[in-house]
């Protein structure tokens, strides 16, 4: 019989609405803060730092509203050491079922001298006075020595010990300016635990100035920290705070590396939390952001796509569904292979095989080379064009060079194959499209007039595909239509025209009803 050892809970202390909201340019109103707080509760955070009540009436109102209506997490407010700050903080969080006051004062030489203008002894006295005051309201008091990573270790421990002796149950060690590196940070946490005696939980609060906030937080956990302060999407002052989704997923995914601890987060709510915070703060999530970025589970290269289509874990260490990010994504681009192309079409309900698949794939590669990413709408249009084009053609466009503008006469240099023979023609016209169509008429020997011409942009953006449909009536009265697709509107027009003239040639050769072959919008 194997004995199971209980794991320590790493308390997740969310400070999205306090430190996160201190990001430049973010200003959430009470309603928005409440919406985020409700989501944080669904996410299962243990502590929710709702704001800094003394900072403004708006901050007070938001903390009070959250304390009055959000259940689940312990609601925390931040406070400086002045008693009026502590009193105001308590007033704001008072309606909550469970409450914490978080008191802080800086202990680094530079902060004490240039910001607080206090001596170390004054700072120590302030810490004692504030913690004592907070304890008059609640048993749950957290103390932070701001700028801990640049504080004199002995002095900081002296203040921490005084805070514990005055009743603080959590000692939060902030790397306020993101100065620490993981090995050093772990050592500092370990040394504090050895030095400061009493019954307290040690916490870590890391900023990301060197991009190390998550690594430092995890190093602190390995060194014995049992609370991590973090924010959704890593938002916060300057380069931000440690990103909650990354810390939680590192502990969950690499369980064997963190055998003594567990986190109580409902990870299926991570993606939704990220989207909500991004939407309400106006802070975009970087595409390649770990866990919640839009490319976190997207694969573009053919080799990766093939692997993931066979077995997701070949290139994914987390299940996107588990974090609420939906399915793995196969992004079609110039690196994609045939397997991914076919699979994407199948998911869109388009089944093509054999020659149709080959020619559609060839066209896709050509387009993907010019357009970074192809949307479903692009693919649909491309396949529609190719399906119309899987029949043997008399005419094929080989190359087209055009010159336009209002200085020289628009002209087109065209090379195409006519019944297998290459023909080169140069023509001028009223515009580049007109010059191209005149050249095509000359090369094919088919005369007539355009009766309708439409250009649609398949998707938005400057690199959108142009989808040209046109109607043509030959001089012997055959009416057909054609469709062409390209990132270039003149090329799309030429392709549409060539496809129309191919139908004329077919009608002339077979006597076939032009309407039977004339289905430009049909996908198959
Ligand atoms: O970064 C910091 O030092 C803080 C404290 C208030 C904990 O946010
Ligand atoms: Zn901070």
């Amino acid at each position: 019989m194997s004995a199971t050892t209980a794991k320590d809970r790493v308390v997740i202390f969310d400070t999205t609405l306090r430190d996160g909201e201190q990001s430049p340019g973010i200003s959430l109103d009470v309603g928005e803060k409440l919406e985020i707080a409700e989501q944080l509760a669904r996410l299962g955070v243990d502590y929710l730092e709702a704001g800094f009540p003394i900072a403004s009436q708006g901050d007070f109102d938001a903390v009070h509203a959250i304390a009055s209506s959000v259940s689940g997490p312990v609601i925390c407010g931040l406070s400086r050491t002045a008693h009026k700050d502590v009193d105001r903080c308590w007033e704001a969080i008072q309606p909550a079922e469970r409450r914490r006051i978080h008191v802080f004062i800086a202990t680094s030489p530079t902060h004490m001298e240039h910001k607080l203008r206090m001596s170390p002894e004054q700072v120590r006295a302030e810490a004692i006075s504030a913690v004592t005051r907070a304890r008059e309201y609640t048993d749950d008091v957290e103390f932070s020595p701001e700028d801990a990573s640049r504080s004199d270790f002995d002095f900081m421990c002296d203040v921490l010990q005084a805070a514990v002796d005055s009743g603080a149950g959590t000692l939060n060690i902030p790397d306020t300016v993101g100065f620490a590196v993981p090995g050093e940070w772990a050592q500092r946490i370990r040394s504090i635990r050895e030095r400061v005696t009493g019954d307290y939980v040690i916490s870590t609060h890391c900023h990301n100035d060197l991009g190390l906030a998550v690594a430092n937080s995890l190093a602190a956990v390995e060194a014995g920290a049992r609370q991590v302060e973090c924010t959704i999407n890593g938002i916060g002052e300057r380069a931000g705070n440690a990103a909650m989704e990354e810390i939680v997923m590192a502990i969950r995914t690499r369980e064997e590396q963190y055998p003594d601890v567990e986190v109580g987060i409902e990870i299926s709510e991570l993606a939704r939390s990220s989207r909500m915070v991004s939407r309400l703060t106006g802070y975009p999530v970087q595409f390649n952001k770990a866990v919640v970025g839009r490319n976190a589970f997207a694969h573009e290269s053919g080799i990766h796509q093939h692997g993931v289509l066979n077995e997701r874990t070949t290139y994914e260490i987390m299940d996107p569904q588990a974090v609420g990010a939906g399915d793995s994504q196969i992004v079609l681009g110039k690196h994609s292979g045939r397997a991914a192309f076919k699979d994407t079409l199948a998911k869109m309900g388009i089944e093509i095989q054999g020659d149709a698949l080959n020619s559609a794939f060839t066209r896709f590669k050509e387009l993907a080379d010019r357009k970074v990413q192809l949307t479903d709408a692009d693919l649909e249009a491309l396949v529609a064009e190719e399906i119309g084009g899987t029949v043997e053609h008399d005419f094929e466009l080989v190359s087209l060079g055009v010159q336009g503008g209002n200085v020289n006469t628009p002209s087109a240099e065209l090379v195409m194959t006519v019944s297998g023979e290459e023909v080169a023609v140069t023509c001028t016209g009223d515009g580049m499209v007109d010059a191209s169509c005149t050249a095509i008429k000359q090369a094919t020997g088919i005369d007539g007039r355009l009766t309708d011409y439409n250009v649609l942009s398949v998707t938005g953006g400057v690199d959108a595909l142009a989808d040209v449909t046109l109607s043509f009536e030959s001089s012997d009265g055959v009416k057909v239509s054609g469709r062409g697709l390209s990132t270039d509107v003149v090329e799309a027009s030429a392709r549409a025209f060539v496809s129309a003239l191919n139908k004329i040639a077919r009608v002339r050769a077979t006597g076939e009803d032009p309407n039977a072959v004339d289905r430009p919008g049909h996908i198959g």
Side-chain angles (χ1 to χ4, degrees), residues 56-218:
S56 68
Q57 185 61 42
D59 241 51
F60 177 91
D61 292 341
V63 177
H64 193 266
I66 290 168
S68 306
S69 67
V70 176
S71 52
V74 180
I75 305 300
C76 178
L78 183 69
S79 168
R80 289 173 303 192
T81 50
H83 284 195
K84 65 173 184 347
D85 280 37
V86 179
D87 299 345
R88 188 79 169 142
C89 181
W90 173 251
E91 204 188 327
I93 62 171
Q94 218 239 335
E97 287 158 23
R98 293 182 300 149
R99 308 155 278 209
R100 170 180 286 183
I101 298 175
H102 176 189
V103 173
F104 76 101
I105 189 162
T107 49
S108 68
T110 181
H111 277 229
M112 290 190 290
E113 185 187 338
H114 300 295
K115 186 183 77 173
L116 299 174
R117 296 184 198 287
M118 284 184 193
S119 68
E121 208 28 68
Q122 280 174 306
V123 165
R124 185 174 175 280
E126 282 287 311
I128 294 171
S129 155
V131 172
T132 307
R133 180 70 164 201
R135 275 304 300 264
E136 286 168 19
Y137 293 121
T138 170
D139 290 346
D140 193 348
V141 175
E142 170 174 326
F143 174 75
S144 295
E146 193 190 3
D147 204 11
S149 47
R150 295 189 300 170
S151 296
D152 173 77
F153 183 74
D154 292 332
F155 170 65
M156 181 182 67
C157 286
D158 197 20
V159 176
L160 288 171
Q161 187 65 64
V164 173
D165 295 343
S166 308
T170 299
L171 295 183
N172 176 50
I173 314 303
D175 180 19
T176 305
V177 288
F179 181 67
V181 295
E184 170 201 36
W185 195 237
Q187 190 49 49
R188 188 154 271 237
I189 299 290
R190 245 180 246 118
S191 305
I192 293 170
R193 286 176 71 218
E194 281 160 19
R195 174 77 73 88
V196 179
T197 58
D199 188 14
Y200 63 88
V201 170
I202 195 152
S203 166
T204 187
H205 174 116
C206 298
H207 280 265
N208 206 30
D209 299 65
L210 292 174
L212 292 171
V214 170
N216 287 339
S217 303
L218 291 169

Side-chain angles (χ1 to χ4, degrees), residues 245-274:
E245 56 280 1
E246 296 177 18
I247 292 166
V248 167
M249 289 316 291
I251 292 175
R252 283 279 171 90
T253 308
R254 300 304 308 277
E255 230 180 316
E256 79 292 350
Q257 291 294 314
Y258 304 97
D260 307 327
V261 298
E262 61 188 9
V263 283
I265 292 293
E266 182 48 67
I267 60 169
S268 61
E269 292 291 334
L270 283 173
R272 183 174 173 204
S273 307
S274 162

